[in-house]
Amino acid sequence: MSKRATDPQILTANRLIDGRVVYWQGAGWAESLAEAEIFDDPEAADAALKGAARSVAERVVVGTYLFAVRLDEGVAVPVKARELIRAAGPSVRRDLGKQAEGLFSPPPVHAQVRHARTTPGPARDPFDVSI
Amino acid sequence: MYRYDEFDARFVAERVEQFAGQVARRLAGELSEDEFKPLRLMNGLYLQLHAYMLRIAVPYGTLAPRQLRKLADVARRFDKGYGHFTTRTNMQLNWPRLADVPAILRELATVEMHAIQTSGNCIRNVTADHFAGATPEEIEDPRPLCEIIRQWSSLHPEFTFLARKFKIAVGATVHDRAALLYHDMAVEIVKNAEGRTGYRVSAGGGMGRTPYIAQLMCEFVEREDILAYLEAVLRVYNQDSRRDNIHKQRIKILVNAIGAEEMRRRVAREFEEIKAQGYLRLPQEELDRIAAYFAPPKFEPIAEPVAEYEAARTKDKRFADWCAHNLAAHRAPGYAIATISLKPIGGVPGDCTSEQMEAIADLMDAFGLAEIRVSHEQNLVLPHVKKRDLPAIFARLSELGLATPNAGLVTDIICCPGLDYCDLANARSIPIAQKIAGRFADLKRQEEIGELKIKMSGCINACGHHHAGHIGILGVDKKGVEHYQLQLGGSGAEDAAIGEIMGPGFTAKEITDAVERVVDEYLRLRQPGERFLDTYRRVGMEPFKNVAYLEQLHAAY
Ligand code: SF4
């Protein structure tokens, strides 16, 4: 099995009425990535995605899909920049989007320290998308 | 400015109410997303990464102060207080709520604005030279023809459901500022040997995955025949294009599959048939009627040199710098065309806040400026400014952070929204443009480099015109990591050319250094009078490639 297939996953969508990014949190949709349910089991993830058809039918969300995360001390960090940016807001406008509304929390310090230990070079915040 | 007649006003009002009904039915569950999506796209409404995005049409890039104020107003009340001007000379709102869109469209309709034909497989917003009506170079203002094409195509039953979108641009000068030959169809206003005004028509240009330069279809179409001729091109496209493969549906694919010669033959045959059937002629009176709406303001007779202007230039270096780069020659003595750069160093290319838009509208009123233009280079242009007003206008623009003296220079970068906003993006483009602009921020250095157009897209759709950049940058996704491909030698001007891909992509950390090395190499190699593009055309890719990958070579050894 490829590495990608074993990554934990999160279920996401956009809210119909305003387009805002939301995450499945087990019993409904949350606005913050930190509240998202993390699926370790691909089958459970697929089942949740199927189940989300109901939210679509009920006109709560549109465009449901799963994306991969890696766990860093229990904190889910999206594998792709795209999902980091969806979770936070535009990287070029830190004053806008969830990052400006208290809906995007950077990972705990120990996660950053751990990251610094395992990657060569200076300590890097895994949520840091600066270029 | 073109003013709506009753028909236009009714059409837009009906369309708004129709869409309001569709939104209500969507929210009430009577329409599924699959049913609703094509309807919202027909009204310029997309769903992007963070929210919906509404693309508001700015026909031929022309706005009156009241329209600019309305854009500022809807951006503030229904969005986050700013808009983004695009290479299609439209304005996008990045955060509207679906439930608010009908209200936004109603507001826009009060100033004759809408979001029709900004999306979907129709004839899109027709674009023109942003110096139209002001430049001394032109044969006549291209915008009346744009407006006629708009009216003709708006409701044309045959062309409402094309295989794909269809973009038309109109120009009237030898110097092409509208990237004409990168359009599905390009119309150039020309004079023939007898001195008669008519149209040179090309077709089959485009960017995206497979870029092509438009091919000449007809050297001279008589004035009254133009709609019939355009209809002939569109009809051949409609009948013969491939609808089975989404990547092959643009007219550029058809033209290049059958060849320009065969395309010309088919269009000529269709044109003859349309004419034989007794066709829609464009009467001169109708053209004159529309042209009257675009009549320039009455220019005051002003003697050159204009003392106040000359004195301010001698006294104020910053003003002199701005004049040197952001002014262009005007057809009337004592007047100038002024570019308001939306590319402040470190800013987001093309973004403009509600406060800035309102302040510009106030400034226009204060100085009797009836219109402003949006350029495909994502800047604003004041087409008819009296030179004696320039020092005061410059002072006001400086206060607003809108006086960056970089029009046409290396920091005047075209850049699409990329992965910071766009659902289709592979990589971010804005932060890269910001870093490059920051690297070349020094004006002396920019002047030393001269005309160098950097254009950047976050994916192959090429909204940032990277194929046409002297230096083009394309964001790609390499195993989930943002990478950037360099292209050199493109041009969107009268010497149109498609940039050549240098080789493997660069990381986000490497790309700015690579661009800088390419630019430095040009400075080393250039001969007197050569722009970057000229040097590239003389020496080719090799010398630039040799320096661009320096970092990777060092890393490998
Ligand atoms: S070029 Fe791609 S990333 Fe950029 S705006 Fe267009 S579709 Fe989006």
Side-chain angles (χ1 to χ4, degrees):
Chain A
M1 212 188 256
S2 81
K3 197 154 181 277
R4 167 85 34 97
T6 62
D7 282 335
Q9 294 178 94
I10 283 175
L11 173 60
T12 186
N14 288 75
R15 202 156 62 192
L16 173 66
I17 194 155
D18 55 11
R20 281 177 74 95
V21 175
V22 288
Y23 303 97
W24 184 250
Q25 120 213 95
W29 298 91
E31 288 210 42
S32 138
L33 176 66
E35 291 176 67
E37 179 172 0
I38 300 164
F39 297 101
D40 292 317
D41 173 14
E43 277 173 33
D46 288 341
L49 179 61
K50 274 215 187 87
R54 197 163 146 201
S55 297
V56 174
E58 287 170 349
R59 311 181 305 278
V60 178
V61 297
V62 290
T64 52
Y65 64 92
L66 296 163
F67 67 88
V69 295
R70 304 240 162 89
L71 291 185
D72 202 332
E73 297 276 304
V75 175
V77 182
V79 172
K80 288 202 165 200
R82 170 191 162 91
E83 292 306 328
L84 267 177
I85 291 166
R86 276 181 87 239
S91 70
V92 292
R93 287 296 301 266
R94 301 293 167 109
D95 59 326
L96 299 179
K98 294 177 189 289
Q99 60 200 346
E101 299 165 6
L103 291 168
F104 177 74
S105 34
V109 175
H110 67 269
Q112 293 180 35
V113 173
R114 202 179 105 90
H115 202 81
R117 271 207 312 270
T118 51
T119 38
R124 190 173 169 276
D125 173 358
F127 279 85
D128 181 10
V129 287
S130 63
I131 277 176
Chain B
M1 292 266 317
Y2 181 71
R3 296 302 300 252
Y4 278 11
D5 59 18
E6 265 169 53
F7 174 80
D8 292 320
R10 195 162 5 102
F11 174 63
V12 170
E14 280 171 12
R15 194 56 181 268
V16 171
E17 291 321 312
Q18 194 182 48
F19 187 56
Q22 287 158 351
V23 170
R25 283 160 63 208
R26 174 70 184 112
L27 293 175
E30 290 160 32
L31 289 175
S32 70
E33 186 61 17
D34 285 347
E35 290 162 331
F36 180 64
K37 191 175 169 187
L39 301 174
R40 71 166 156 78
L41 287 177
M42 276 171 76
N43 290 282
L45 188 64
Y46 290 72
L47 184 54
Q48 295 284 43
L49 283 188
H50 312 291
Y52 290 95
M53 179 272 278
L54 182 65
R55 185 179 291 155
I56 301 165
V58 181
Y60 25 85
T62 301
L63 287 167
R66 67 201 168 89
Q67 294 175 312
L68 196 55
R69 266 194 203 97
K70 184 56 77 181
L71 291 176
D73 174 53
V74 295
R76 180 183 290 120
R77 278 164 56 207
F78 299 102
D79 208 89
K80 294 188 188 288
Y82 69 104
H84 174 74
F85 289 103
T86 74
T87 53
R88 295 279 309 144
T89 79
N90 295 316
M91 197 194 86
Q92 296 180 174
L93 293 176
N94 288 310
W95 309 85
R97 302 170 69 246
L98 174 60
D100 288 338
V101 173
I104 298 174
L105 294 177
R106 279 189 200 110
E107 286 293 331
L108 293 173
T110 64
V111 292
E112 306 177 353
M113 295 189 80
H114 55 76
I116 300 165
Q117 288 179 324
T118 61
S119 174
N121 295 334
C122 60
I123 296 178
R124 298 283 187 91
N125 185 18
V126 181
T127 50
D129 180 1
H130 43 269
F131 288 176
T135 172
E137 302 162 11
E138 80 189 0
I139 293 173
E140 64 181 31
D141 192 327
R143 292 172 302 160
L145 183 63
C146 294
E147 174 55 27
I148 285 166
I149 294 173
R150 183 194 72 79
Q151 293 185 10
W152 161 76
S153 66
S154 273
L155 286 172
H156 201 301
E158 211 178 317
F159 307 137
T160 311
F161 296 99
L162 295 169
R164 289 279 279 137
K165 57 190 167 187
F166 201 92
K167 299 174 183 173
I168 306 176
V170 185
T173 56
V174 173
H175 191 75
D176 175 12
R177 278 175 289 264
L180 285 175
L181 296 182
Y182 271 105
H183 285 75
D184 293 286
M185 190 141 67
V187 181
E188 294 164 78
I189 301 175
V190 292
K191 274 197 194 314
N192 71 0
E194 288 114 71
R196 230 172 30 254
T197 301
Y199 308 100
R200 181 193 292 136
V201 178
S202 305
M207 302 212 189
R209 183 179 301 271
T210 26
Y212 284 111
I213 304 291
Q215 304 268 358
L216 183 68
M217 289 293 114
C218 185
E219 193 62 60
F220 192 83
V221 177
E222 295 289 347
R223 188 149 240 175
E224 61 171 16
D225 288 341
I226 186 63
L227 292 182
Y229 194 83
L230 298 186
E231 187 152 329
V233 175
L234 271 155
R235 198 169 278 176
V236 170
Y237 166 56
N238 225 5
Q239 284 164 1
D240 298 351
S241 73
R242 293 186 50 178
R243 291 187 178 236
D244 57 325
N245 178 338
I246 189 163
H247 297 309
K248 304 208 162 163
Q249 287 165 342
R250 297 288 291 270
I251 191 174
K252 62 188 177 182
I253 305 292
L254 174 65
V255 172
N256 286 279
I258 64 176
E261 192 57 52
E262 173 62 13
M263 185 73 188
R264 271 194 289 273
R265 205 185 55 74
R266 290 187 196 180
V267 170
R269 195 182 53 201
E270 194 64 46
F271 181 49
E272 288 312 317
E273 242 166 64
I274 293 172
K275 283 213 286 194
Q277 283 162 10
Y279 62 102
L280 169 74
R281 279 199 181 78
L282 174 60
Q284 185 64 39
E285 309 83 73
E286 177 61 5
L287 191 59
D288 292 344
R289 188 183 73 81
I290 301 279
Y293 286 114
F294 294 92
K298 230 175 149 17
F299 299 122
E300 277 174 40
I302 301 173
E304 295 259 16
V306 177
E308 303 94 313
Y309 163 75
E310 301 298 344
R313 277 205 315 170
T314 327
K315 226 176 65 207
D316 181 353
K317 166 88 168 70
R318 284 180 50 250
F319 177 63
D321 287 340
W322 183 77
C323 293
H325 301 296
N326 292 36
L327 296 188
H330 195 277
R331 55 191 270 200
Y335 284 75
I337 303 171
T339 297
I340 300 176
S341 168
L342 296 181
K343 318 287 176 64
I345 308 295
V348 176
D351 274 13
C352 195
T353 66
S354 292
E355 288 69 37
Q356 288 176 323
M357 287 186 247
E358 272 159 4
I360 294 170
D362 290 346
L363 180 144
M364 290 168 69
D365 284 343
F367 291 95
L369 306 172
E371 56 177 79
I372 194 165
R373 309 283 171 71
V374 183
S375 79
H376 85 272
E377 293 180 317
Q378 299 176 288
N379 292 317
L380 299 175
V381 173
L382 294 170
H384 310 294
V385 188
K386 291 187 196 103
K387 282 186 176 172
R388 64 166 174 259
D389 293 338
L390 281 166
I393 288 175
F394 172 74
R396 186 71 191 110
L397 291 176
S398 298
E399 288 165 13
L400 297 168
L402 290 170
T404 314
N406 64 349
L409 295 176
V410 64
T411 59
D412 183 5
I413 299 172
I414 290 185
C415 177
C416 81
L419 192 54
D420 279 297
Y421 292 98
C422 179
D423 186 43
L424 299 171
N426 284 324
R428 278 172 291 165
S429 44
I430 300 166
I432 302 293
Q434 289 173 329
K435 256 194 113 176
I436 293 172
R439 184 68 63 87
F440 292 103
D442 178 45
L443 184 61
K444 264 229 179 71
R445 189 175 183 199
Q446 293 187 60
E447 287 172 338
E448 166 75 10
I449 294 163
E451 183 191 301
L452 204 175
K453 295 185 185 279
I454 299 184
K455 307 189 183 192
M456 156 143 212
S457 308
C459 82
I460 196 69
N461 286 327
C463 305
H465 291 192
H466 65 275
H467 296 298
H470 298 177
I471 296 180
I473 305 174
L474 167 65
V476 293
D477 175 341
K478 211 160 144 189
K479 299 199 181 106
V481 181
E482 296 161 285
H483 271 71
Y484 298 91
Q485 257 176 20
L486 263 188
Q487 284 181 217
L488 301 184
S491 168
E494 59 279 11
D495 57 356
I498 297 165
E500 189 190 343
I501 297 173
M502 181 181 275
F506 298 86
T507 64
K509 298 253 184 289
E510 295 163 348
I511 182 70
T512 305
D513 292 335
V515 167
E516 187 175 32
R517 282 196 295 270
V518 164
V519 173
D520 285 343
E521 184 66 3
Y522 146 68
L523 292 177
R524 207 177 63 77
L525 293 174
R526 76 170 164 193
Q527 290 177 355
E530 275 185 348
R531 302 169 300 162
F532 174 85
L533 189 59
D534 305 320
T535 303
Y536 174 81
R537 285 178 175 171
R538 180 170 55 80
V539 304
M541 179 65 84
E542 214 44 42
F544 297 108
K545 194 169 174 175
N546 288 341
V547 295
Y549 290 102
L550 224 56
E551 260 168 70
Q552 285 83 339
L553 286 176
H554 282 307
Y557 286 112

